[in-house]
Amino acid sequence: MSFVRAFGSAAALIALTPLAVLARAPDAPAAPQRVAEAPHAMVAAANPYAVQAGLKVLKAGGSAVDAAVAVQAMLGLVEPQSSGLGGGAFMVYYDAKTKKTVIYNGRETAPAGATADMFEENGQPLNHFVGVLSGRSIGAIGAIPMLAMAQREHGRLPWRSLFGEAERLADRGFPMSPRMARSVALFLRLAKTPDSIAFFTKADGTIYQAGDLFKNPAYAATLHRLAAEGPSALTRGEIADAIAAKAHEAPRPGTLTAADLAAYRPKMDAPLCRPYRAYVICAPPPPGGGVGVLEILGVLEHSDIATRGPKDPAAWGEFVAASRLGYADRDYYVGDPAFVHVPTQGLIDPAYDRARAALMPTDGLAAPAPTHGTPPGASAPGPDHTAEPGGTTDFAIVDADGNVVSMTTTVESVFGSGRTTHGFFLNNQLTDFSFTPLNEDGAPAANAVAPGKRPRSSMSPVIVFEKRADGSPGRFVMALGSPGGNSIIAYVAKALVGIIDWKMSAEDAIALPNIVARGAVVSVERGADPAVIAYLKEKGLNVEADQGEDSGLHAVVKTAHGYLGAADPRREGAPAGY
Ligand code: DON
């Protein structure tokens, strides 16, 4: 979903230009190299500075997790519209020595003072964008505490050594990238929060443009403390107090306290893995988005999409049908499993997915949106009103020992809540909760707000393995993921179908036009084959063609000679390895 469409009516009044259009503005510099190959190790991320920071750590003998810390520190500086110290993340980690995959869950939590109806006023859900910019949207931060947990377990270099590149660049300054500048211009047009104006206004009173030298000394100082003190630099003491104070500011103050920040605990989860064709795909379980991707693939396994190929409109018809069925289930059933029962295994159960696949020609391609099914283990929590707009990034890293990081990280919307402290933006992740506690028949929503609960996410970083004879994961094949709000599930599924079923190169599969079929609308990216659009319309689907579908897929793939990194042409990344 594009930023502006997601911002709904407030944005529609002001601007009708999806961010994806802006992403391909004519002032964009010559496209950076979208693929790289190297024998030992690889980093693929949405910004060249971040890639180079990660690569430097790897060359210095750091592990994939060490590099992930450096990449995140740099992304928070050069791509603050997407992720940073004030946000949350999911990481899939494969350990080459033990051959084990684990999930590090750095999803934000709702404060102790959160209530199920905090996004309602006068019995009505708040306008989404009003919620985003409110103090209520800010959750207890998770990305850095999660990275610290992973780095304690899998780091090789000292934590304090991982922030130097980003700290120096923040002090020295860097030319603002076209994409960051477009996000700034768009945000200031739509939101104009006092913090964002202060952040992006130059000494001469004008707004930073692409190519302007942008410095962030406050961020450098924060990184300095984070390097020296560890994650408690953010979750206890002066910075934590400042975060809480920001959340308590008008408009619509929230309840986040320094105690909520100190109480935050990242989690380790078992990965959710499912075989697909000759592979096994592992992703974060709920509240992450992996179950949606895996159900879509589980349905597609019963189609002939693999033999059709990307030029066949009927192949996209199958993709659309499977997507609608998968989204219907995930939208209905998924919330934080620490708080609600989620029939996760039931949704990827082979027999259940076969039964869903039988609906592809009827419900999958009918004008009315398909409804959820009843997977094994379901106990019907009910649908909700959750909207998920855009500002997120994804990266993949493999180190010289074969350890793998696949991570999606986010401040939720572009520049999160639009509130800053100490050089970074605070997330608006809590608007990923349902804005209403109950569904229309009065049943509780799976994704309703509750204190300490993690909001539902679509983030689906995956690691793909060869499938062993017994169905278990074998050798590493690739790491892949994307930003994109609830469209992430469709973007990741598309890339996996392209690479696995259509045998495309990672860069070509990533570049394929995005088609997102969730609910009543099928959103088709500009540049898609007109024959595909005609086919979907012929089926009676409500097709919105020429939409911005702004993925930011990044992948690292094992090759015969080492690794291939691939970056989405819709963003600014240039992978690199050694
Ligand atoms: O966790 C989620 O699903 C959302 N907060 C992600 C938002 C996003 O990907 C925006 N992307 N451009």
Side-chain angles (χ1 to χ4, degrees):
M1 181 183 291
S2 78
F3 176 54
V4 170
R5 269 196 301 137
F7 272 13
S9 53
L13 291 174
I14 310 166
L16 288 167
T17 318
L19 202 55
V21 175
L22 300 167
R24 276 181 289 279
D27 66 339
Q33 190 55 253
R34 300 300 182 194
V35 247
E37 283 192 80
H40 306 296
M42 182 62 65
V43 183
N47 181 285
Y49 286 111
V51 168
Q52 292 304 323
L55 188 58
K56 193 165 177 189
V57 167
L58 294 180
K59 284 183 174 170
S63 68
V65 171
D66 289 328
V69 176
V71 168
Q72 178 67 82
M74 190 62 93
L75 286 172
L77 173 69
V78 297
E79 202 198 26
Q81 69 270 31
S82 299
S83 76
L85 308 186
F90 288 98
M91 178 199 286
V92 191
Y93 175 73
Y94 171 69
D95 192 72
K97 199 158 145 211
T98 61
K99 305 205 176 339
K100 292 239 165 10
T101 304
V102 291
I103 305 300
Y104 287 97
N105 174 335
R107 187 68 166 167
E108 295 90 334
T109 50
T115 55
D117 61 357
M118 72 182 195
F119 290 116
E120 285 188 330
E121 265 175 19
N122 309 318
Q124 293 298 313
L126 275 180
N127 167 286
H128 188 81
F129 195 37
V130 170
V132 168
L133 299 177
S134 78
R136 301 173 199 169
S137 71
I138 303 168
I141 60 175
I144 294 297
M146 176 276 269
L147 280 167
M149 180 191 210
Q151 204 268 343
R152 273 196 299 276
E153 285 159 9
H154 302 291
R156 268 201 300 263
L157 300 180
W159 169 266
R160 66 173 184 281
S161 72
L162 303 173
F163 300 88
E165 286 295 299
E167 188 187 329
R168 274 189 294 279
L169 195 68
D171 267 331
R172 204 171 65 224
F174 61 94
M176 187 179 280
S177 77
R179 189 179 164 85
M180 179 172 167
R182 287 192 292 276
S183 301
V184 169
L186 183 62
F187 192 80
L188 292 183
R189 200 146 40 92
L190 297 180
K192 270 204 197 317
T193 60
D195 286 355
S196 65
I197 294 169
F199 212 83
F200 294 123
T201 304
K202 291 189 275 189
D204 68 2
T206 61
I207 302 298
Y208 281 94
Q209 307 289 316
D212 287 347
L213 189 74
F214 183 74
K215 297 184 184 181
N216 190 343
Y219 188 73
T222 300
L223 288 185
H224 201 79
R225 289 175 62 174
L226 179 56
E229 297 167 31
S232 65
L234 304 181
T235 57
R236 289 168 199 275
E238 189 227 324
I239 299 181
D241 290 343
I243 293 173
K246 273 290 160 196
H248 279 80
E249 279 180 10
R252 295 180 172 77
T255 62
L256 186 74
T257 61
D260 291 318
L261 294 164
Y264 182 84
R265 296 287 175 271
K267 280 190 189 177
M268 272 175 78
D269 293 323
L272 186 66
C273 300
R274 188 195 195 288
Y276 183 62
R277 316 285 190 198
Y279 302 93
V280 176
I281 300 171
C282 295
V291 67
V293 175
L294 296 182
E295 183 180 344
I296 291 170
L297 295 176
V299 171
L300 283 175
E301 206 157 37
H302 302 284
S303 76
D304 59 1
I305 193 167
T307 54
R308 287 185 181 275
K311 294 201 163 50
D312 182 343
W316 289 100
E318 290 172 349
F319 185 76
V320 161
S323 297
R324 294 176 99 206
L325 292 161
Y327 270 114
D329 276 342
R330 103 89 209 211
D331 289 353
Y332 190 81
Y333 288 109
V334 174
D336 183 351
F339 287 74
V340 291
H341 171 72
V342 184
T344 305
Q345 289 301 334
L347 292 171
I348 58 168
D349 176 75
Y352 177 69
D353 289 352
R354 184 182 302 116
R356 289 299 265 171
L359 302 173
M360 285 172 77
T362 52
D363 294 16
L365 289 173
T371 55
H372 64 88
T374 310
S379 66
D384 60 41
H385 296 89
T386 310
E388 295 157 275
T392 299
T393 198
D394 176 84
F395 59 84
I397 303 172
V398 182
D399 67 24
D401 289 333
N403 302 307
V404 184
V405 164
S406 185
M407 177 162 153
T408 311
T409 174
T410 182
V411 287
E412 189 352 64
S413 208
V414 171
F415 298 117
S417 59
R419 300 177 186 219
T420 63
T421 187
H422 291 78
F424 62 92
F425 280 86
L426 301 179
N427 70 81
N428 66 294
Q429 215 67 242
L430 303 189
T431 60
D432 271 359
F433 279 119
S434 173
F435 271 34
T436 59
L438 302 177
N439 69 17
E440 272 125 35
D441 15 316
N447 190 32
V449 190
K453 191 175 176 182
R454 286 161 156 85
R456 183 179 79 195
S457 175
S458 302
M459 293 195 286
S460 316
V462 301
I463 299 183
V464 180
F465 301 92
E466 290 174 0
K467 184 170 72 179
R468 288 219 186 85
D470 65 357
S472 65
R475 282 184 300 190
F476 167 73
V477 173
M478 68 178 135
L480 180 138
S482 182
N486 58 51
S487 300
I488 289 171
I489 290 170
Y491 299 156
V492 171
K494 172 208 77 173
L496 291 171
V497 167
I499 298 170
I500 293 175
D501 284 343
W502 298 337
K503 315 276 183 266
M504 299 174 80
S505 68
E507 64 274 24
D508 288 349
I510 283 171
L512 277 172
N514 288 311
I515 298 189
V516 181
R518 177 183 187 233
V521 173
V522 181
S523 166
V524 180
E525 190 176 30
R526 65 185 56 78
D529 183 352
V532 172
I533 297 171
Y535 177 89
L536 297 175
K537 283 187 174 162
E538 250 168 53
K539 293 284 169 193
L541 293 166
N542 180 6
V543 178
E544 285 187 357
D546 285 339
Q547 293 301 308
E549 283 296 350
D550 206 9
S551 56
L553 287 148
H554 293 94
V556 174
V557 183
K558 180 91 184 87
T559 66
H561 312 291
Y563 299 100
L564 177 142
D568 198 319
R570 299 165 187 85
R571 294 213 175 185
E572 295 172 328
Y578 76 95

